[in-house]
Amino acid sequence: MNKTEKLTQLAVMIIAVCAVVVSVWQVQISQKHNRLSVMPYLNHLSGWASDSTWRLNIMNEGIGPAIIKSTELKYKGNTYIHWDAVLDAAGIRDLRVNSTNLGNDAPFRTEKEVIFLEIKSDPYNPKHFGIDITIKYTSIYGAEVYELKTSF
C-alpha cells in the first residue's frame, strides 16, 4: 500500500468517526427538543370571583400535558391530600363553595383550567388561613419533577 492509499484510509476513518460523533450529538439535541416541546407549566390565579367568594384556579399554560404526581395541602405542620380534611382542620369547611381534588398520576391537559378552591369570604376583610399547597407534576416523559407552590 502506498502513501496516498494510507492517507486516503486515514481520511475515511476520521470522516467516519466525525459522522458518528455528529449523529450522537444530534440525537441528544433532538431528545432535548422533544422534551421541551411537550413541557407543561402549571400556574395559579387567585382572586375574588364575586363580592362574597374568593377563588383559586389552577391552569396548565405549558405546551404539553402535566402528569400530577402528588398534591399536598399543609396546615399547621400537618399534611393532607384531600380538601375535606384540610378544611376541617382549619375549621373552614363550611365556607367552601367549590373544590377540586387532583388525583395522583392524573393527566392535566394543556389549556385546562379548574377551580381548585372557592370559598366564601369578605373582600373588605380578607383572611390568610395558613394553608400551603404544593402540586408536584411531570411531563409525559417523566424525567423531571416540577412544583407549583402557593398559600392562602
Side-chain angles (χ1 to χ4, degrees), residues 24-97:
V24 168
W25 181 55
Q26 185 63 34
V27 166
Q28 289 176 341
I29 289 173
S30 176
Q31 287 175 343
K32 281 183 180 179
H33 175 268
N34 289 345
R35 286 188 176 142
L36 289 174
S37 69
V38 295
M39 189 171 139
Y41 179 71
L42 291 187
N43 201 357
H44 70 282
L45 176 67
S46 63
W48 296 99
S50 71
D51 287 344
S52 62
T53 59
W54 176 87
R55 183 182 290 168
L56 174 63
N57 288 357
I58 303 292
M59 71 270 311
N60 183 355
E61 296 178 336
I63 300 170
I67 308 300
I68 305 299
K69 289 302 179 186
S70 67
T71 303
E72 293 180 351
L73 309 166
K74 289 189 178 184
Y75 180 71
K76 291 189 177 180
N78 296 319
T79 302
Y80 305 91
I81 58 172
H82 197 274
W83 278 116
D84 289 345
V86 73
L87 295 175
D88 281 342
I92 58 171
R93 187 171 179 180
D94 59 328
L95 299 180
R96 178 177 53 191
V97 175

Side-chain angles (χ1 to χ4, degrees), residues 9 38-39 48 60 66 73 80 89 99 121-122 141 146 148:
Q9 282 184 349
V38 295
M39 189 171 139
W48 296 99
N60 183 355
L73 309 166
Y80 305 91
S99 64
S121 191
D122 180 6
Y141 283 103
Y146 307 100
L148 170 65

